[in-house]
Amino acid sequence: MKSYEVNFDGLVGPTHNYGGLSYGNVASQSNSQQSSNPKEAALQGLAKMKALMDMGFQQGVLAPQERPDVAALRRLGFAGSDAQVIQQAAKEAMPLLVASCSASSMWVANAATVSPSADTADGRVHFTAANLNCKYHRSIEHPTTSRVLGAMFANPQHFAHHAALPAVAQFGDEGAANHTRFCRAYGEAGVEFFVFGRSAFDTRYPAPQKYPARQTLEASQAVARLHGLREEGVVYAQQNPSVIDQGVFHNDVIAVGNGEVLFYHEDAFLETDKMLAELSSKLAKVGGKFQSVCVPRSAVTVDDAVRSYLFNSQLLSRPDGSMLLIVPEECRGNERVWQYLQGLTGAGGVIREVKVFDLKQSMQNGGGPACLRLRVALNETELAAVNPGVIMTAPLYESLTQWVERHYRDRMTENDLADPQLLLECRGALDELTQILKLGAVYPFQIN
Ligand code: SUG
């Protein structure tokens, strides 16, 4: 049976702004308070989806969330009508209003961890929504994420959904941003690779000194258990704490994998050789031949990687077996990175082509091409069971582009977030979106 990797990209929401909310994420902190352009952000994301679809890849779309999240503000004690809640928060606790307005759900690599049916004990595709416990503005995403994923992958015969892990830092889980899967073919059993930043219960593991490690070993292990993964099909590795302290807040800022290939920075992991050997032997047991492409620090520094987002790229398999790397424009702007990429594609290895995309609006908050997509490996039967409303087609691209043009503002500052009219605009837009994507009622304003 045929199988595919389907990339579901997060549609940027209408409140996209630069709130400076993510300590440890260099771009988020350095662009704090700048004015943003939600319309441009959404169109840049849609252009990437369309381009990948046109290249023949399977592409889907994941809906944004209701923002401002008035219900979240009510849980923090703000009361009255919706407009009063927003105005009171703006007056008394602007950072909380900004957090409740974040369009951060666009980075769907953090929406969930997904295990394909070939790896799981019950032969279904498993999803665990990420609790995103490290940052308040992200921790409010998972209830809606679960409803949206449930509406997209609704058939219980093929899809199993798990609620987010307990909402404490010891089970901090950031979803697919710290999870990669290696396989010979998408429909065959593979090796799931979980990368963690620290252990919450075992003090033998080192931890970063400056910035938080968002993903714990215990969270990764819990996800593997929930999904029914075999021990032989799982590898755990620790991120190098010193790169977290340099701004590598997720593994997908320093490594990317696809098929039988891991593309990574020399400083990305601890005990790299042991980890590579385990990946290689476990992949061999399911018929795969592991290959690693290491980028030496002498060619690209960790700082270059953080600024250019070289590794936050999409590594895609082409029909001839070679691979294509989708990188952000910032890679072309960094001389060392660009030179490295020219050498890489010219060397006759597996990565043969690089394509550049302008995703500046998202990049300025620390979200590159890989952050914007959630990969779901599906066989033909499973793909047919996905809600067809969320699969990208030329007409859907047209409707979404027009929808963005109709509803999105082209400038957003803190003052705009305090405008109660924004809430009404967003709800109107999202109500229409759920009809376009055939999701049913998924937002708090639709179900309460
Ligand atoms: O969680 N930025 C996101 C970026 C997530 C990128 N995802 C992956 N690497 N997979 C984060 O730090 C910034 C929001 C603000 O500052 O307005 C933010 O949430």
Side-chain angles (χ1 to χ4, degrees):
M1 194 182 330
K2 264 192 154 172
S3 54
Y4 309 89
E5 175 185 90
V6 189
N7 282 282
F8 290 88
D9 275 45
L11 183 56
V12 179
T15 59
H16 161 61
N17 72 93
Y18 299 121
L21 297 170
S22 281
Y23 180 65
N25 167 345
V26 176
S28 153
Q29 290 188 272
S30 54
N31 292 303
S32 176
Q33 314 291 311
Q34 286 202 23
S35 77
S36 64
N37 184 336
K39 182 178 283 186
E40 186 176 55
L43 295 176
Q44 287 175 342
L46 280 165
K48 172 164 89 76
M49 298 184 221
K50 168 81 160 51
L52 264 67
M53 178 192 78
D54 288 344
M55 283 183 249
F57 297 104
Q58 295 284 343
Q59 181 68 52
V61 60
L62 226 149
Q65 304 210 348
E66 179 186 342
R67 296 288 181 269
D69 188 336
V70 179
L73 288 170
R74 288 185 190 283
R75 282 197 298 278
L76 299 177
F78 300 102
S81 66
D82 288 344
Q84 285 166 334
V85 165
I86 291 169
Q87 281 158 343
Q88 195 194 347
K91 200 161 135 235
E92 295 171 16
M94 195 58 194
L96 299 184
L97 177 64
V98 174
S100 82
C101 288
S102 179
S104 54
S105 68
M106 71 171 92
W107 300 298
V108 295
N110 304 115
T113 306
V114 187
S115 294
S117 56
D119 295 350
T120 63
D122 66 2
R124 295 189 294 169
V125 183
H126 282 245
F127 300 81
T128 296
N131 62 22
L132 300 175
N133 193 255
C134 184
K135 307 283 174 217
Y136 170 70
H137 72 288
R138 304 223 57 183
S139 71
I140 57 179
E141 292 174 26
H142 70 86
T144 298
T145 300
S146 290
R147 281 193 296 273
V148 172
L149 288 174
M152 294 165 68
F153 304 95
N155 186 331
Q157 201 190 327
H158 298 294
F159 307 118
H161 296 272
H162 305 278
L165 297 178
V168 289
Q170 287 162 314
F171 289 105
D173 177 22
E174 300 272 324
N178 297 306
H179 173 259
T180 307
R181 176 174 185 262
F182 298 101
C183 59
R184 189 171 61 175
Y186 295 121
E188 293 179 13
V191 177
E192 300 202 14
F193 180 46
F194 290 86
V195 181
F196 58 94
R198 68 182 179 103
S199 164
F201 291 86
D202 190 335
T203 51
R204 285 172 303 176
Y205 292 90
Q209 301 296 306
K210 185 176 171 198
Y211 291 144
R214 298 195 195 185
Q215 181 84 30
T216 68
L217 168 63
E218 292 76 9
S220 300
Q221 289 169 330
V223 171
R225 267 191 302 272
L226 286 164
H227 292 195
L229 304 181
R230 299 164 304 123
E231 208 184 309
E232 275 307 286
V234 175
V235 173
Y236 297 100
Q238 182 166 11
Q239 232 189 317
N240 181 348
S242 97
V243 300
I244 297 181
D245 281 338
Q246 292 171 75
V248 181
F249 59 97
H250 288 136
N251 179 57
D252 71 4
V253 176
I254 197 102
V256 58
N258 170 51
E260 296 167 303
V261 178
L262 172 66
F263 178 60
Y264 72 101
H265 189 274
E266 184 178 1
D267 293 328
F269 306 102
L270 290 182
E271 300 192 78
T272 310
D273 291 342
K274 190 170 150 249
M275 170 201 98
L276 294 175
E278 192 180 349
L279 284 170
S280 183
S281 78
K282 288 191 169 169
L283 190 58
K285 288 197 184 115
V286 285
K289 193 170 176 335
F290 181 70
Q291 285 183 62
S292 56
V293 180
C294 174
V295 180
R297 68 177 85 85
S298 57
V300 173
T301 63
V302 172
D303 188 56
D304 288 328
V306 169
R307 286 174 195 279
S308 67
Y309 261 37
L310 166 62
F311 297 95
N312 200 259
S313 45
Q314 286 179 255
L315 189 55
L316 301 168
S317 297
R318 302 195 292 194
D320 67 358
S322 72
M323 290 191 190
L324 162 69
L325 198 66
I326 302 287
V327 301
E329 189 64 60
E330 284 71 3
C331 286
R332 189 150 50 190
N334 179 308
E335 211 175 306
R336 273 184 302 276
V337 168
W338 194 241
Q339 203 178 347
Y340 173 81
L341 284 172
Q342 301 310 303
L344 177 72
T345 50
V350 63
I351 305 175
R352 299 277 163 73
E353 197 190 349
V354 169
K355 278 201 192 291
V356 179
F357 281 82
D358 178 5
L359 297 164
K360 188 159 185 250
Q361 285 290 325
S362 165
M363 282 289 288
Q364 293 189 145
N365 248 343
C371 300
L372 286 163
R373 59 94 174 96
L374 181 67
R375 298 185 280 188
V376 185
L378 298 168
N379 65 34
E380 253 173 333
T381 316
E382 291 155 356
L383 181 56
V386 176
N387 179 341
V390 299
I391 300 295
M392 189 55 78
T393 58
L396 179 59
Y397 169 75
E398 282 308 318
S399 337
L400 291 174
T401 303
Q402 285 164 18
W403 173 81
V404 169
E405 294 284 358
R406 266 198 314 279
H407 293 286
Y408 280 48
R409 300 189 188 187
D410 58 11
R411 188 179 143 80
M412 188 75 58
T413 61
E414 242 185 44
N415 282 344
D416 300 305
L417 303 177
D419 171 9
Q421 180 60 31
L422 182 66
L423 174 69
L424 301 179
E425 265 173 51
C426 292
R427 285 181 175 169
L430 293 179
D431 211 30
E432 214 178 296
L433 182 69
T434 48
Q435 291 164 44
I436 298 174
L437 299 178
K438 303 190 171 53
L439 290 174
V442 288
Y443 296 118
F445 77 91
Q446 294 174 317
I447 53 186
N448 290 329

